[in-house]
Amino acid sequence: MGPAAGLAALLAVLALRAGDPAGAAARGDTFSALTSVARALGPERRLLTLLRRYLRGEEARLRDLTRFYDKVLSLHEDSATPVSNPLLAFTLIKRLQSDWRNVVHSLEASENIRALKDGYEKVEQDLPAFEDLEGAARALMRLQDVYMLNVKGLARGVFQRVAGSAVTDLYSPRRLFSLTADDCFQVGKVAYDMGDYYHAIPWLEEAVSLFRGSYGDWKTEDEASLEDALDHLAFAYFQAGNVSCALSLSREFLLYSPDNKRMARNVLKYEKLLAESPNQVVAEAVIQRPNVPHLQTRDTYEGLCQTLGSQPTHYQIPSLYCSYETNSSPYLLLQPVRKEVIHLEPYVVLYHDFVNDVEAQKIRGLAEPWLQRSVVASGEKQLPVEYRISKSAWLKDTVDPLLVTLDHRIGALTGLDVQPPYAEYLQVVNYGIGGHYEPHFDHATSPTSPLYRMKSGNRVATFMIYLSSVEAGGATAFIYANFSVPVVKVSGGLLMLGCLCPVPAPCTSGFLLPRACGP
């Protein structure tokens, strides 16, 4: 019996006695005889029994809240805890969007709890929305796909490759952070709600496994239970064509909730289907990974995100070289730039140490207040899309003298006029959990594009600067040239065509500074 139920039972007993005339007369005469006093010990023992149940429920609730408090506090006390770990980032968003709400609204309305609720409601508008939880879950699935990560490993906090992968493990966080059954359920449910059973099944399988191991140990902040996970997993298997698994999981569900009529009907339905098609008993679900958006180059793109592709080494091709570059500019005579030719067609050059740490930090600070969800051109409109996950801000050179200096440096190095309208303003891009930009052209490919109506014309070059590094993953991939350039902190590149691989990095890392130039 929970604390609220215990208190309700206690109040119900008192109300019953107050409404009983015979009981009222007996209470009125209790003091007049010791025998009546002795008889009063019986009702008090019953009240003590109710009160003991209530206190035990309260103690259990406080132990549960203390466990939740200690769990979250330990994360805040560890100053070395990297938010760049996508599992940590996902669970942070989940705690703020879901767990804290479940904890706060599970408490009784005492004075202290009322104050806690009032405080929660004051900050509620600043907390992540449900859409953030969905986005974080999709980011974990994206990392799972692009880097071929094992779901069971992710649930344990380990970024393991799937069996048979030739690529080494992606990431070794300084501190392992495992996911709970409810965490895994929420990821699986996001996929389930999208009809994506390819991702839903392994995450729900892991949720079921973890819920089974802790069955009966209810956590206040959890939204789901073993029954919820079994319910969703059974239907996911049915939709995937594995009726046998759907039947087995539905029967297990009925062990915990035998009165559920809907699940009982499902069991009869699955039994009938298997009786009509006995081959279904041994059928295994072969679920195709969804290709959304539809990318013909997805396999190439993801392969390049994992490796450098076919990028040749410098000693094999003499035209690929390293040098100190001045571009015959007086501006660079005393401080030439370290140049590395990466590729010839398209022409891609990497300039090492193009900006220093202080400059990179200042540019990030200037952009941070203005960061908004990145968009792409869709006809005459600019829209956020799932294939570009980041925030960006445009900075004019009037914002700070540093930007003027940076413009001069880029212009001297490239020989291009980087002042509007011949070039766009500096754009600072910050990638979040599993942030990415799928294969795309930086230049306009349709004559109807608004770029053609601008005075600067179409884009001919992009100059990018990595303003921060990432702990793992991350690259600029050139899918048709079949090579990729990994993230190199505070370096710049003159890029003609590229796309960005997802990086397990939070909003405090993964900054880029693209500069697109016209003719």
Side-chain angles (χ1 to χ4, degrees), residues 173-250:
R174 292 190 292 271
R175 177 183 176 184
L176 290 182
F177 186 85
S178 58
L179 299 177
T180 66
D182 193 62
D183 294 335
C184 294
F185 175 81
Q186 293 296 340
V187 178
K189 187 174 183 301
V190 168
Y192 177 95
D193 290 341
M194 296 188 300
D196 175 9
Y197 304 112
Y198 174 89
H199 291 103
I201 286 176
W203 283 102
L204 291 173
E205 283 273 21
E206 191 61 24
V208 165
S209 176
L210 292 172
F211 273 128
R212 283 173 181 154
S214 61
Y215 189 74
D217 183 18
W218 175 257
K219 294 182 176 62
T220 307
E221 69 270 18
D222 285 355
E223 240 176 64
S225 63
L226 174 57
E227 291 92 325
D228 293 323
L230 288 169
D231 189 2
H232 284 76
L233 182 58
F235 189 74
Y237 266 122
F238 170 69
Q239 290 293 95
N242 194 329
V243 182
S244 180
C245 276
L247 175 60
S248 176
L249 292 162
S250 300

Side-chain angles (χ1 to χ4, degrees), residues 101-133:
R101 183 181 66 250
N102 294 335
V103 167
V104 169
H105 291 292
S106 72
L107 307 179
E108 290 187 32
S110 67
E111 183 177 344
N112 287 339
I113 296 168
R114 185 68 262 166
L116 176 60
K117 285 188 176 181
D118 289 343
Y120 174 81
E121 290 167 0
K122 288 179 180 178
V123 301
E124 190 172 12
Q125 62 181 3
D126 298 325
L127 301 181
F130 180 71
E131 289 77 8
D132 293 302
L133 179 59

Side-chain angles (χ1 to χ4, degrees), residues 317-350:
I317 301 180
S319 54
L320 301 179
Y321 61 92
C322 297
S323 66
Y324 284 97
E325 179 67 53
T326 65
N327 198 30
S328 301
S329 169
Y331 189 83
L332 298 175
L333 283 178
L334 297 179
Q335 192 175 359
V337 179
R338 295 163 59 200
K339 172 183 177 181
E340 178 184 356
V341 179
I342 301 291
H343 205 270
L344 297 178
E345 293 184 6
Y347 185 66
V348 179
V349 178
L350 185 66

Side-chain angles (χ1 to χ4, degrees), residues 139-154 158-171 198-199 289 298-299 302-307 502:
L140 289 186
M141 294 180 235
R142 186 180 311 120
L143 293 172
Q144 169 194 344
D145 290 339
V146 173
Y147 296 107
M148 303 174 66
L149 299 178
N150 182 284
V151 170
K152 283 190 173 294
L154 284 173
V158 180
F159 291 73
Q160 284 181 330
R161 303 288 186 175
V162 296
S165 171
V167 186
T168 58
D169 287 354
L170 172 68
Y171 177 42
Y198 174 89
H199 291 103
R289 175 183 162 193
R298 185 181 69 184
D299 292 342
E302 292 180 355
L304 291 173
C305 289
Q306 297 175 28
T307 67

Side-chain angles (χ1 to χ4, degrees), residues 327 329 332 354 406-418:
N327 198 30
S329 169
L332 298 175
F354 187 76
L406 191 59
D407 277 348
H408 289 162
R409 196 180 303 165
I410 295 173
L413 185 62
T414 62
L416 298 172
D417 189 339
V418 296

